[in-house]
Structures are given as structure tokens and as C-alpha cells.
């Protein structure tokens, strides 16, 4: 009985399909132009998507590294401006009220007197410099974290690990997140406690000093430092980038008391 019902059900489906076919045939003249138009639009959309993908790939591979270099230049210029402003504050008030020509001469002399090593110094030199006693926060750049990933280095990363990430994206992440995170941490960590007046900075200063006992001979940041720098939690894409940096022997990941540490291991 069940078999007969199944056969009857199939026959009903076949009849429904035949009826649908005749209905479509009856209005074929009206539907066909619309279908052809839809086909043309689909082809055009496909071509636009391919063009957009090509443009994105070109940006990642060609223009991306250029933007990373421009970001570095902007940061260096920003540091120079801060240095000039600080030196300008030291100029006596009577000099500021003097003739314009004299003011310009003073500014040029001050600019020339700024040592080039201030723009980029080692952490060892920073610890001995006057900057550690200054209350005004500064964004310094350290030679200890001066690193660049070449195209050859990137190609040596396994494809399964790289996924759809590009060299430009990895360089931008390294420069603006990881290196910046290290520089901000150690410019604060090595400050004299009396020079840290902001309560939030003081809390971070204490945390950094407490964590330093875990790896006293290494430079490191934590997963929390990276998340705080980005303003969001570490997701899958960020983990892929961190995995690539570990593969390139720039960072080493380890855990201690439930905290994830990223140690700088590139000499």
C-alpha cells in the first residue's frame, strides 16, 4: 500500500512539473527578454567584482608597503615637532617677544642643536637620558625594535599560515600595533616614578614593573597590551598575524600565571 502511495505521489509531481512547463511556455515571449537582461547584468556584476578584487590585490602588494613607509615618516615628523616645541619652551620670554627675524634664527639654532639620535635611540641610552625624568609624555622610537620584513621573508611563511593575509597588512600590523606597543610600554616603564603623574599611567607603570619579574632579561608585551592598543579583543585575524611573526622569529609566545606573553626575540 505504501509503495502505491509513493508511485502516485511521484506521478502527481510529474504532472505539476508538466503544468509549470506549459505555463512558462505560454509566457515565454514576455519572460525571455527579462531573463536575457538579467544574464547581462550578472555578467557585468561579475566583471566589476573581478576588477575590485584586482584593485584590492594591487593595493595589498604594491601600494600597501608604500603607506607603511609614509606612516613611519609621519611618526618621525611628529616626534621632531614635539622636540622642537619642547626646545621652544626653553627659549626666554624676552627672546620670544623680539623681532621676527631673531625669533626665526633662534628656532633654527634650536632645531640644529637637536641631536639626531633623539629621534631614534636604544633603550639603554633612553634609560640614561633626561627623558626618564620628564613628566610630559613623549612618543619615542627605539632601535631595539627596528625591524623590517622583506618579500623573501614573507614568501618563506607557509601558505596555509598566511591565508589571505598580505605582506602590506603584516607590515602595518607590526609597525602600528606590535612595535608601537613595545615602544609605548618601555618609554613608560623606564621612567622615574616621580615623573609619572597621570593616575592611569601610574597604574600601568606599576603593572609593567610587576610583570617584569616574570622575564627580567627579556623585552615583552602581553596579550592584554595588544588588545588595549587596538581597542578590541584579539580575534582570529590578529592571531594569524601573531603566528606569522612567531614563524619569522620576531616574537615568542609563552604563558605565565594565566597571562599570555609575547617576547621580542629578534636581535
Amino acid at each position: 500500500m505504501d509503495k502505491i502511495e509513493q508511485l502516485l505521489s511521484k506521478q502527481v509531481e510529474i504532472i505539476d512539473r508538466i503544468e509549470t512547463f506549459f505555463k512558462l511556455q505560454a509566457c515565454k515571449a514576455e519572460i525571455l527578454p527579462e531573463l536575457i537582461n538579467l544574464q547581462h547584468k550578472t555578467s557585468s556584476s561579475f566583471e566589476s567584482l573581478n576588477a575590485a578584487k584586482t584593485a584590492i590585490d594591487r593595493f595589498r602588494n604594491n601600494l600597501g608597503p608604500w603607506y607603511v613607509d609614509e606612516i613611519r615618516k609621519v611618526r618621525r615628523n611628529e616626534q621632531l615637532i614635539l622636540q622642537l616645541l619642547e626646545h621652544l619652551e626653553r627659549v626666554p620670554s624676552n627672546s620670544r617677544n623680539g623681532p621676527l627675524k631673531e625669533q626665526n634664527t633662534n628656532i633654527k639654532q634650536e632645531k640644529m642643536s637637536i641631536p639626531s639620535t633623539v629621534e631614534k635611540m636604544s633603550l639603554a641610552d633612553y634609560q640614561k637620558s633626561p627623558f626618564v625624568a620628564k613628566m610630559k609624555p613623549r612618543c619615542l622610537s627605539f632601535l631595539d625594535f627596528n625591524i623590517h620584513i622583506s618579500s623573501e621573508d614573507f614568501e618563506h611563511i607557509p601558505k596555509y599560515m598566511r591565508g589571505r593575509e598580505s605582506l602590506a597588512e603584516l607590515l602595518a600590523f607590526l609597525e602600528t600595533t606590535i612595535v608601537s606597543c613595545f615602544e609605548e610600554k618601555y618609554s613608560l616603564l623606564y621612567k622615574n616614578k616621580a615623573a609619572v603623574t597621570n593616575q592611569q599611567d601610574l597604574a600601568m607603570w606599576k603593572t609593567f614593573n610587576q610583570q617584569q619579574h616574570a622575564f627580567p632579561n627579556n623585552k615583552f608585551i602581553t596579550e592584554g597590551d595588544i588588545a588595549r592598543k587596538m581597542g578590541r579583543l584579539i580575534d582570529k585575524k590578529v592571531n594569524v598575524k601573531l603566528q606569522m611573526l612567531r614563524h619569522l622569529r620576531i616574537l615568542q609566545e609563552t604563558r605565565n600565571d594565566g597571562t599570555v606573553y609575547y617576547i621580542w626575540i629578534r636581535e
Side-chain angles (χ1 to χ4, degrees), residues 62 96 99 101 114 157 200 245:
N62 300 331
R96 297 182 190 176
K101 184 177 180 181
I114 300 173
I157 302 174
Q200 185 176 359
L245 294 178

Side-chain angles (χ1 to χ4, degrees), residues 10-178:
K10 288 181 179 180
Q11 292 299 319
V12 170
E13 290 180 5
I14 293 172
I15 292 171
D16 288 339
R17 291 178 184 177
I18 293 172
E19 290 179 353
T20 302
F21 172 77
F22 283 121
K23 289 177 181 178
L24 290 174
Q25 283 292 109
C27 59
K28 179 179 178 180
E30 299 176 2
I31 294 177
L32 189 58
E34 295 296 329
L35 291 177
I36 293 173
N37 186 34
L38 180 61
Q39 183 180 12
H40 290 322
K41 289 182 178 179
T42 302
S43 299
S44 177
S45 299
F46 184 74
E47 291 174 0
S48 299
L49 285 174
N50 278 339
K53 182 179 181 300
T54 301
I56 292 172
D57 290 339
R58 185 169 61 87
F59 173 81
R60 287 176 175 173
N61 298 325
N62 300 331
L63 298 179
W66 180 83
Y67 278 105
V68 172
D69 291 337
E70 292 303 308
I71 290 172
R72 290 197 187 99
K73 292 177 184 178
V74 170
R75 292 187 63 192
R76 287 196 293 267
N77 289 332
E78 183 183 51
Q79 292 163 15
L80 181 58
I81 291 171
L82 291 172
Q83 293 159 15
L84 288 173
L85 289 174
E86 183 174 333
H87 279 259
L88 186 60
E89 289 175 357
R90 298 176 186 173
V91 178
S93 58
N94 57 352
S95 298
R96 297 182 190 176
N97 298 327
L100 179 61
K101 184 177 180 181
E102 184 180 349
Q103 292 183 37
N104 290 337
T105 303
N106 290 336
I107 292 174
K108 288 180 181 178
Q109 290 175 348
E110 290 293 332
K111 181 177 178 180
M112 292 174 63
S113 66
I114 300 173
S116 59
T117 54
V118 173
E119 186 178 341
K120 195 98 172 173
M121 64 173 67
S122 68
L123 282 172
D125 290 337
Y126 172 68
Q127 289 177 276
K128 301 173 186 176
S129 73
F131 293 118
V132 297
K134 293 183 180 295
M135 295 181 183
K136 186 181 292 185
R138 298 183 61 84
C139 183
L140 298 174
S141 196
F142 300 113
L143 293 168
D144 305 62
F145 310 116
N146 191 12
I147 186 70
H148 181 71
I149 302 171
S150 67
S151 300
E152 292 75 13
D153 293 333
F154 186 75
E155 290 299 325
H156 287 158
I157 302 174
K159 289 186 178 180
Y160 75 86
M161 188 182 298
R162 283 180 288 169
R164 301 180 68 178
E165 297 289 333
S166 67
L167 174 58
E169 290 173 324
L170 183 61
L171 285 172
F173 174 73
L174 177 63
E175 178 71 19
T176 61
T177 301
I178 299 300

